[in-house]
Amino acid sequence: MKSLGISIYPDVAKMKDIYAYMEKASKTGFKRVFTSMFSVKDTTENVIKMFTEVGNKCHELGLLLSVDVNPELFERLEAKPNDLSIFKQIGVDILRMDMSYGPEGDIQLINNSLGIKIEFNASALKASYFKSIIDKGANANNLLVSHNFYPQTYTGMKWEKFLRVSKEFKDIGIRVGAFVSSHAPNTHGVWDSVNGLPTVEKMRDLSIDLQVREMLASEVIDEIMIGNAFASDEE
């Protein structure tokens, strides 16, 4: 089953606009909301409050909340591979890990008892690594990978490498995600991005429907997310 997602940036856009965007996405069959939790510069208390409200809104609309995290955020929230309770409290459904805790720590993350799926960076670790930890007891059903998005022109992945790497993950039964890019006026994203936020460089200037159709035709991608916001109603 393929699924679609949007990206939101609470540190860039107004919450009322974000919620309106989420409502449109929910009504048109989207299933996931991706956001970066570690990029928000605020007090720990305010970050927890903000994303708890986002999580509540996601679940009200039937959407899954996926948050990008890094070691600094884990430390700030006093989270550990064997204790993800703060993310459960916030309402996180998918943790997109920007790091690895090594085989033992990653197995603890993946095998958490809180129902939180763990999504790793497809560019940071090889499929062979995940095969090895699955063989050691990691629950493959709780494990996802997703490619990065690339805000700067000419920095995106080459199509051939994208296909090869994605297929390596698919061959061991892991769902794979990637980003496409909106061409709506005045979109935003991380790092003041103005050139879109696709995974694959050759897709940067393609219409979003063509980007998605090529992703689907590749048969190696399960989760397709719009990297920048806000996509137009037509898109």
Side-chain angles (χ1 to χ4, degrees):
M1 185 75 158
K2 311 297 184 184
S3 73
L4 297 172
I6 58 169
S7 302
I8 63 169
Y9 302 94
D11 54 330
V12 178
K14 295 178 180 177
M15 291 310 301
K16 66 178 181 63
D17 296 328
I18 288 173
Y19 288 160
Y21 187 50
M22 289 166 57
E23 287 169 2
K24 288 179 185 177
S26 174
K27 288 176 181 176
T28 48
F30 283 68
K31 298 299 182 186
R32 189 202 286 208
V33 172
F34 170 84
T35 188
S36 176
M37 198 169 178
F38 67 79
S39 64
V40 177
K41 306 301 180 188
D42 207 332
T43 65
T44 301
E45 292 74 15
N46 285 345
V47 168
I48 291 172
K49 181 175 183 293
M50 173 189 290
F51 285 96
T52 300
E53 291 173 357
V54 170
N56 289 338
K57 187 66 174 179
C58 281
H59 298 154
E60 175 190 321
L61 295 171
L63 298 166
L64 298 174
L65 176 60
S66 169
V67 299
D68 210 7
V69 296
N70 66 2
E72 181 187 0
L73 181 71
F74 255 61
E75 188 173 331
R76 282 178 63 192
L77 298 183
E78 299 181 358
K80 298 178 179 63
N82 63 353
D83 182 7
L84 304 179
S85 54
I86 183 62
F87 296 111
K88 184 67 174 178
Q89 174 190 320
I90 289 168
V92 173
D93 299 292
I94 302 166
L95 274 181
R96 206 276 187 170
M97 307 296 294
D98 201 39
M99 70 291 196
S100 167
Y101 278 100
E104 183 177 340
D106 289 346
I107 291 171
Q108 288 180 330
L109 281 165
I110 294 164
N111 290 350
N112 75 85
S113 61
L114 301 175
I116 299 174
K117 290 192 179 294
I118 307 299
E119 183 172 76
F120 287 91
N121 184 337
S123 299
L125 296 164
K126 294 183 181 297
S128 57
Y129 171 78
F130 293 109
K131 186 179 185 306
S132 71
I133 63 173
I134 290 170
D135 290 343
K136 292 175 183 176
N139 179 4
N141 294 324
N142 213 36
L143 169 61
L144 310 167
V145 298
S146 66
H147 291 281
N148 291 329
F149 49 46
Y150 296 90
Q152 294 180 315
T153 304
Y154 307 125
T155 62
M157 290 184 74
K158 291 186 180 300
W159 179 243
E160 294 75 16
K161 180 179 180 181
F162 170 76
L163 293 178
R164 176 178 55 78
V165 171
S166 300
K167 186 175 185 303
E168 288 170 357
F169 288 114
K170 289 292 291 178
D171 284 347
I172 59 172
I174 300 176
R175 289 180 67 85
V176 183
F179 291 88
V180 294
S181 191
S182 164
H183 292 292
N186 304 314
T187 59
H188 63 273
V190 294
W191 311 305
D192 299 321
S193 58
V194 294
N195 296 313
L197 284 173
T199 290
V200 179
E201 186 59 40
K202 78 163 192 166
M203 292 188 174
R204 192 178 300 275
D205 298 320
L206 300 181
S207 63
I208 198 168
D209 66 304
L210 183 52
Q211 294 174 64
V212 171
R213 282 186 282 133
E214 288 203 11
M215 289 277 186
L216 293 174
S218 74
E219 298 185 344
V220 294
I221 297 299
D222 303 288
E223 316 279 347
I224 301 174
M225 294 160 283
I226 304 174
N228 50 352
F230 301 111
S232 67
D233 291 354
E234 291 75 16
E235 288 179 317

